[in-house]
Amino acid sequence: MASKLDTLTHEQLQVVHHLLKGHNIFLTGSGGVGKSYLLSVIYNEYPSLKKKYDLLQAPYSLTKLPRIQITAMTGCAALLLGNKAKTLHSWSGIRLGKGTVNELFVRIRRSPKAMRHWLCTDLLIIDEVSMLTAELLDKLNQLAKKIRSNQKPFGGIQVMFVGDFYQLPPVNKTDEKTIFAFESDAWREIIHTSIELTIIQRQKDEIFQRILTEARYGKLTKE
């Protein structure tokens, strides 16, 4: 049976290549370039591919299938992603994310389910990352280190951030300036590689594609 990996474009395969190397990735691109499809393929095909890759690197080592969790910033986005996706807040056990790192740590420690999520995830995918505030990302990075007793970025969990910062901004209910996730200390520490998908898969009308791209950048030509 053919693998769905065979359906990926060269750009999409580059993402898989970096994941195999253990890199933390920011994946971006406009609507229709196949970000959600790639996530589905990774969720279903990547674990066995990663196990084979690890065996090639160290033939006599004990290898296991990596445990993947897909999360999103909203329930609707998680529902559309399928593949047992959860909201990031549900997966992490932080509820609304209010309070200090220590207060959130105590809350998570009281939840065996949340602790299991933090300790048993090898690859965490966060979709719609443009909606994540810098403050919350910094908290999550500190929590990961604290919960897992590991000072590596995000406590040693491999992460993949997915989203388009030209689209949905962070939710900010105060008058304070919005600070995007990529402006955080955690982002600079965590992310090794940024990849932008550019080949639009959803439709083939080149004129319509150009209009969408111009609208995305907010620079419409006279034409």
Side-chain angles (χ1 to χ4, degrees):
M1 184 181 294
S3 166
K4 285 190 177 180
L5 290 166
D6 297 331
T7 67
L8 300 181
T9 65
H10 175 72
E11 287 181 332
Q12 292 169 327
L13 285 172
Q14 282 297 307
V15 176
V16 177
H17 176 74
H18 281 288
L19 286 177
L20 287 171
K21 288 192 166 185
H23 296 171
N24 293 333
I25 299 170
F26 168 50
L27 174 66
T28 189
S30 63
V33 294
K35 296 189 296 294
S36 296
Y37 177 73
L38 176 57
L39 295 190
S40 179
V41 173
I42 287 171
Y43 183 83
N44 290 289
E45 305 284 347
Y46 180 76
S48 59
L49 181 67
K50 175 63 172 169
K51 185 175 181 179
K52 291 176 185 176
Y53 179 85
D54 289 344
L55 279 172
L56 285 173
Q57 305 306 307
Y60 301 106
S61 64
L62 291 173
T63 61
K64 61 183 178 65
L65 293 173
R67 295 158 295 189
I68 301 175
Q69 178 63 60
I70 299 179
T71 64
M73 295 306 298
T74 65
C76 288
L79 192 63
L80 289 171
L81 286 169
N83 297 303
K84 300 180 181 178
K86 297 178 171 66
T87 65
L88 178 62
H89 293 73
S90 171
W91 174 87
S92 62
I94 60 171
R95 297 182 189 170
L96 294 177
K98 303 296 183 183
T100 66
V101 170
N102 284 334
E103 287 169 344
L104 292 173
F105 176 69
V106 170
R107 178 180 298 162
I108 293 165
R109 283 290 300 270
R110 290 173 179 162
S111 169
K113 184 178 179 181
M115 285 296 292
R116 190 163 59 249
H117 289 164
W118 281 101
L119 297 173
C120 298
T121 298
D122 300 304
L123 171 60
L124 176 66
I125 297 172
I126 302 176
D127 194 28
E128 302 290 8
V129 72
S130 63
M131 298 180 71
L132 181 63
T133 64
E135 179 188 9
L136 185 53
L137 180 55
D138 281 333
K139 283 181 181 179
L140 290 168
N141 189 38
Q142 294 172 53
L143 281 168
K145 293 176 180 180
K146 197 174 178 71
I147 292 166
R148 294 168 63 91
S149 301
N150 186 331
Q151 290 307 302
K152 290 181 180 179
F154 223 83
I157 299 175
Q158 187 178 13
V159 295
M160 179 172 163
F161 297 158
V162 183
D164 181 10
F165 283 97
Y166 283 103
Q167 294 185 37
L168 300 168
V171 176
N172 190 355
K173 295 183 179 179
T174 69
D175 294 330
E176 295 179 12
K177 179 186 174 185
T178 297
I179 304 176
F180 290 92
F182 64 79
E183 299 178 273
S184 67
D185 293 333
W187 187 286
R188 288 185 285 273
E189 180 187 352
I190 294 167
I191 295 300
H192 302 139
T193 306
S194 296
I195 299 173
E196 180 179 12
L197 300 182
T198 60
I199 302 171
I200 295 179
Q201 311 288 327
R202 195 172 291 163
Q203 41 78 25
K204 303 299 180 185
D205 186 328
E206 292 185 6
I207 295 174
F208 188 48
Q209 288 180 13
R210 192 163 69 247
I211 292 170
L212 291 176
T213 300
E214 290 178 3
R216 177 171 177 250
Y217 284 100
K219 295 178 181 178
L220 295 173
T221 60
K222 187 175 181 181
E223 182 187 2

